[in-house]
Amino acid sequence: MFRYRMIVEYDGSQYVGWQRQENGPSVQGAIEKAILSASGDVVSIRGAGRTDSGVHAMGQVVHADLSREWSPFKLQNALNAHLRLAGERVAILDVTSASEFFDARFSALRRHYLYRIISRRAPLALEAGKAWFVAKTMDHEVMHAAAQTLVGKHDFTTFRSAHCQANSPVRTLDRLDVTRSGDLIEIRATAQSFLHNQIRSFAGTLKLAGEGRWTPDDVRAALEARDRKACGPVAPPDGLYFMQVDYPDVIVDRRQETETTDDDDDLS
Amino acid sequence: MFRYRMIVEYDGSQYVGWQRQENGPSVQGAIEKAILSASGDVVSIRGAGRTDSGVHAMGQVVHADLSREWSPFKLQNALNAHLRLAGERVAILDVTSASEFFDARFSALRRHYLYRIISRRAPLALEAGKAWFVAKTMDHEVMHAAAQTLVGKHDFTTFRSAHCQANSPVRTLDRLDVTRSGDLIEIRATAQSFLHNQIRSFAGTLKLAGEGRWTPDDVRAALEARDRKACGPVAPPDGLYFMQVDYPDVIVDRRQETETTDDDDDLS
């Protein structure tokens, strides 16, 4: 077996999500089909994050085991050609050979997400499906202040989906920054892993702060309530982008790592 | 009659272009239908630029004459609601009352366009239809140097479509800047008016310079040839965005203006 690491971009709007499912086309399925067409190998690939339906990616990371050795350059071109032929909105940005100890999901040190909000009066024409349209005026500085109450190691029960399968609601949020450029408000989130719907729950709650309906202290109180009902409305998937995954320079053995790393899913 | 000036954003990919035509849906038609639905008025609106099929806009400017007075705020909301209901990819970003002497096309002092190229190995997933995908490596500094040979007042016969209806091929190009940010190369063009396909002809020619196939001197020679056959391949509409139109602070009478301003179309 020859393992390859791939960096993947996709427009999530036409997919049921990253993961292969019965109810429709998935990004995982699209890439697995392209691998089958290119190589004849029936594979099951693993992604660093199991993004929901409608969530986009600029830097999803995947590993795949193929039966023969490929030049990464040729493999990338072959997969992109098959994805394009199949009309998929998926592109393989990079392919590298990887050690057998590299696991796209379990070797991940940090995951980086971006949530985009466009705050203006007019609905979105060019950015439809690519950002959350919010007609109200928002104060991004209040949003940023509120976000800082969430950074650090906390029980994030308030901000995870009722369907979240993680064993523990405790996560360490490294970064949650809110910036603005014109009508565009960007929320950048970094953590080793996230709970299901965590970033969309943050975005929906921070919107309330941006509109002046919640203070940063209200956001802190929601966190401390450890109660799903204390969360603001979950923001739509359209604005969420899986941006980047960091890995150790020396990829450790997966069996060692599962002992030190929380193995819960990243279902933001 | 009450005249209104509107700033319009659209995703051009599903339209035959700005102008109402027999062969399919137009942006002009979509807005005129929304005006009819909102006001009952059958109107013929005028845009500052007659963009081609597939060309996008972030700041097309339009004027429309309505039979009764509206609050600009209410008119904007009503038009956006009707556009949304009709499934149009058109949004009215701003509405203001305008004097009868304001003409979106003939009062324009300067038009600003952006052409976006994404230069990378992988096809576009998130930006499909929103930029020109170029698989080759491009040197944007050479492109910028080549672009400077086109700035100024010239006979642009080389860079206009055979279908261009303008009386004169002479235009004054105020600005043609090429910048890069990562994979994204942006060409920004400003002039009082452009010839049909002028910016897409520039973009296709500058691509040859960026790839090292043409030198800046070759681009200058193409301009000086004043021959359509000397032009590089015309770039696709996907990358072109009509960004902004500048008008005089005091809008002059249209009848005065047509004497001093070239009244040719802006069909970039």
Side-chain angles (χ1 to χ4, degrees), chain A residues 137-153:
Chain A
T137 307
M138 318 248 294
D139 183 333
H140 72 281
E141 290 179 359
V142 173
M143 294 173 74
H144 182 73
Q148 300 326 298
T149 69
L150 302 171
V151 172
K153 185 174 183 178

Side-chain angles (χ1 to χ4, degrees), chain B residues 17-29:
Chain B
W18 163 259
Q19 196 166 25
R20 231 187 301 112
Q21 289 173 57
E22 300 281 305
N23 61 331
S26 66
V27 179
Q28 183 188 6

Side-chain angles (χ1 to χ4, degrees), chain A residues 71-92:
Chain A
S71 114
F73 184 91
K74 282 189 184 169
L75 182 58
Q76 182 189 1
N77 285 353
L79 295 181
N80 279 327
H82 284 286
L83 287 164
R84 211 172 188 180
L85 260 174
E88 303 290 355
R89 284 287 191 106
V90 179
I92 311 294

Side-chain angles (χ1 to χ4, degrees), chain A residues 9 76-77 120-121 125-126, chain B residues 9 76-77 120-121 125:
Chain A
E9 173 185 283
Q76 182 189 1
N77 285 353
R120 69 181 199 187
R121 288 191 46 224
L126 276 163
Chain B
E9 173 186 283
Q76 183 188 1
N77 285 354
R120 70 181 198 186
R121 287 191 46 224

Side-chain angles (χ1 to χ4, degrees), chain B residues 98-111:
Chain B
S99 106
E100 61 178 308
F101 303 120
F102 172 76
D103 185 296
R105 180 169 155 204
F106 294 109
S107 306
L109 288 180
R110 274 180 303 278
R111 293 167 167 88

